[in-house]
Amino acid sequence: MAADKLRGLLLSFPRAGAGGNTGTWRVYRPVINYAKCTKCGLCWLYCPENVIDWLEDKNVRIDYTYCKGCGICADVCPVKAIDMVKEGEV
Amino acid sequence: MTQAVARQVRKVLVGDHAVAEAVRLARVQVISAYPITPQTLIVERISEMISKGELKADFIRVESEFAALATVYGAAAGGARAFTATSSHGLFYMYEMLWWAAASRLPLVMAVVTRVVGPPWNIHNEHSDLLAIRDSGWVIGMAQNVQEVFDMTLTAFRISEDERVLLPVAVGLDGFILSHTAEPLDVPSQEDVDSFLPPRNPRIPYVVEPNGEAITMGNLPKDDVYHAILKELMDESMENAKKVIAEVYGEYGKLTGRNYGPLTECYRCGDAKYIVISMGAWTGDILNAVNRLRNEGYPVGVLRIRYLRPFPDEEISSWINGVKGVLVFDRDYSAGYGGVLAGEIMGLVPHNVSFKGVIAGVGGFDVSVDEFAELIRDFIDKTERDGPMRVRKSWYIPRR
């Protein structure tokens, strides 16, 4: 039994697609205040949906197509640079 | 000794320290464990080794056994060689993680120092805790003496990391009888161990790493036969494990001059008409009892189970082929059924062969050589007098 066969069965490889698309039901969205952000990357580490990119220049960016609005990033941000804003008020 | 074996150092260690010694020589990278009697000496010794710089590894302190196994699981998924150790109540505290670790097909080694599961509160030796994990997908071994504890722990890494197996390995040792008993053992040098056990390839079977490929393990599968396919693969690996265990011990025998079983070992079985089957440290007492009975003229041999999973059915069948009687000693009790070993082995014993399962030593009381001799003699005499019996379970409790 090769490990390759096992890999093929046991693992899934997340890709951007229709599967995790949030649609219109998100109630709050996280909005980053770049003036406050210290580029520490904690929100990137904690995001359960892995929708925060930590870019080359250490800036973070949220992909709102897949963000569920759970608020964990706002909660863990040590400098409170992320606000949870009600959808439609942004 | 006909073959040239590696130079070894003779040491005197208790069983728990022998496990720690094997972990050191195996160059384990991550250890996480929660102390529980009688496993405590293992983690104490390992943390001592790390603090003295004898072992370059991370010791991660955790709040529970569940977390301990989850931590080494994560370490193994990250490509490290990882180890944990536990005992009865701790083993049951990590029960869910045992299944996760096995079905995730990650190489791991765990020492299980067997102990009674309460209540009543009891720290003595019994095999029920180790045998309660036998369905989870772990390869399960059980050592007989301190030397074998060391050898089994060291070879466990090779077996677990073999691409044909990729299953976690549990090494069982009897609480106190082995774990806290000092015995002499031969320890090979670091160079020899390194040649026997190369560093783990972190990419097999897969690796979860930061900035690596995004992968998910254990996600909800899209159709419902996935699970069956994976279990079938696990079964295939268990069958492979029989071959791999034989290969690994063959190579280990060349290195150290100690040739084991592989899955079972039989003592004075060549001309035996009766076979006594057991597992673990008290087999040593049974050996003494059998030697005594041999001197009295009873044709009896001892079959010791070294690995219960993968189940050594072919080996047991070949050993008990043509005998008149099989007697199984269990140091465990499966409630509502009987002895675990007796139950599993009974299916391999033909109907015209006398069979008896004895549950003894449950709760940790000692069974002496005299008592063993008496029980075996009684079984043989009854069979010779009244013909074959079929007793799946019987209790042996001395009323002292």
Side-chain angles (χ1 to χ4, degrees), chain B residues 197-219:
Chain B
L197 181 68
R200 188 192 150 194
N201 178 348
R203 307 232 152 254
I204 291 176
Y206 52 87
V207 64
V208 181
E209 52 190 351
N211 304 324
E213 189 184 21
I215 59 171
T216 312
M217 205 303 298
N219 225 341

Side-chain angles (χ1 to χ4, degrees), chain B residues 68-395:
Chain B
L69 188 52
T71 303
V72 291
Y73 172 99
R81 180 174 286 164
F83 172 85
T84 186
T86 189
S87 275
S88 69
H89 292 264
L91 186 66
F92 287 2
Y93 198 1
M94 58 166 72
Y95 198 73
E96 185 196 346
M97 278 310 299
L98 291 167
W99 290 69
W100 269 93
S104 303
R105 309 303 303 272
L106 291 165
L108 270 178
V109 174
M110 171 170 69
V112 179
V113 189
T114 58
R115 169 187 151 177
V116 181
V117 182
W121 210 237
N122 190 331
I123 57 171
H124 297 299
N125 174 37
E126 185 192 293
H127 300 162
S128 292
D129 57 347
L130 181 72
L131 295 182
I133 72 168
R134 70 188 193 282
D135 303 339
S136 61
W138 285 62
V139 172
I140 300 170
M142 188 84 200
Q144 191 199 330
N145 51 39
V146 171
Q147 178 72 69
E148 195 179 12
V149 167
F150 173 84
D151 295 339
M152 222 178 225
T153 311
L154 202 55
T155 48
F157 291 100
R158 265 288 293 269
I159 295 160
S160 185
E161 289 164 18
D162 194 294
E163 196 169 341
R164 290 161 294 174
V165 181
L166 290 173
L167 288 166
V169 179
V171 178
L173 57 146
D174 291 78
F176 295 106
I177 294 173
L178 290 185
S179 71
H180 288 59
T181 304
E183 285 181 10
L185 72 157
D186 292 329
V187 178
S189 68
Q190 183 70 66
E191 291 73 34
D192 289 326
V193 172
D194 287 348
S195 70
F196 169 77
L197 181 68
R200 188 192 150 194
N201 178 348
R203 307 232 152 254
I204 291 176
Y206 52 87
V207 64
V208 181
E209 52 190 351
N211 304 324
E213 189 184 21
I215 59 171
T216 312
M217 205 303 298
N219 225 341
L220 196 66
K222 68 178 190 299
D223 68 46
D224 45 12
V225 297
Y226 249 69
H227 219 97
I229 294 169
L230 282 165
K231 282 284 180 280
E232 189 186 33
L233 270 182
M234 189 189 265
D235 192 53
E236 207 178 285
S237 300
M238 274 287 185
E239 291 303 320
N240 292 343
K242 294 178 183 177
K243 200 164 62 225
V244 173
I245 288 169
E247 275 175 32
V248 168
Y249 278 103
E251 201 179 313
Y252 194 71
K254 282 198 190 78
L255 179 78
T256 60
R258 289 189 289 278
N259 295 298
Y260 290 106
L263 296 173
T264 60
E265 272 185 348
C266 221
Y267 177 76
R268 302 188 91 159
C269 290
D271 59 341
K273 287 277 162 277
Y274 291 89
I275 300 275
V276 181
I277 304 181
S278 81
M279 187 171 91
W282 70 348
T283 314
D285 299 322
I286 299 175
L287 291 179
N288 290 339
V290 161
N291 280 337
R292 192 181 298 176
L293 290 168
R294 279 279 182 172
N295 293 340
E296 295 172 18
Y298 287 96
V300 57
V302 186
L303 173 61
R304 181 168 69 90
I305 310 283
R306 295 186 68 239
Y307 282 89
L308 189 74
R309 289 287 181 274
F311 187 59
D313 41 8
E314 295 100 339
E315 285 188 36
I316 295 173
S317 293
S318 71
W319 285 121
I320 65 175
N321 184 22
V323 298
K324 284 160 99 176
V326 175
L327 176 64
V328 181
F329 282 109
D330 263 295
R331 196 159 198 160
D332 52 79
Y333 170 61
S334 166
Y337 186 74
V340 173
L341 291 181
E344 298 207 333
I345 290 162
M346 196 170 176
L348 304 171
V349 180
H351 265 280
N352 56 354
V353 173
S354 189
F355 180 87
K356 187 180 182 185
V358 180
I359 300 163
V362 166
F365 71 81
D366 284 333
V367 184
S368 68
V369 176
D370 293 355
E371 289 167 306
F372 275 127
E374 191 52 46
L375 285 161
I376 299 165
R377 198 184 289 118
D378 181 62
F379 169 72
I380 296 175
D381 290 347
K382 268 210 181 80
T383 302
E384 291 288 342
R385 201 176 54 235
D386 312 331
M389 61 171 96
R390 294 293 279 190
V391 183
R392 198 186 64 211
K393 65 174 173 194
S394 63
W395 287 86

Side-chain angles (χ1 to χ4, degrees), chain A residues 5-82:
Chain A
K5 189 178 177 184
L6 204 57
R7 254 195 298 271
L9 281 166
L10 213 50
L11 306 177
S12 49
F13 304 90
R15 298 280 179 273
N21 202 322
T22 301
T24 57
W25 50 262
R26 186 175 52 226
V27 184
Y28 290 93
R29 67 161 57 200
V31 176
I32 299 170
N33 179 346
Y34 286 101
K36 275 191 187 177
C37 172
T38 60
K39 308 183 183 185
C40 72
L42 216 58
C43 53
W44 163 82
L45 190 66
Y46 273 89
C47 173
E49 286 289 285
N50 198 14
V51 301
I52 300 182
D53 289 327
W54 203 18
L55 305 171
E56 286 297 306
D57 59 3
K58 292 282 178 272
N59 269 319
V60 286
R61 190 181 57 200
I62 299 174
D63 184 350
Y64 292 108
T65 316
Y66 300 103
C67 168
K68 306 287 179 283
C70 70
I72 287 175
C73 53
D75 210 44
V76 299
C77 179
V79 294
K80 298 283 168 257
I82 304 179

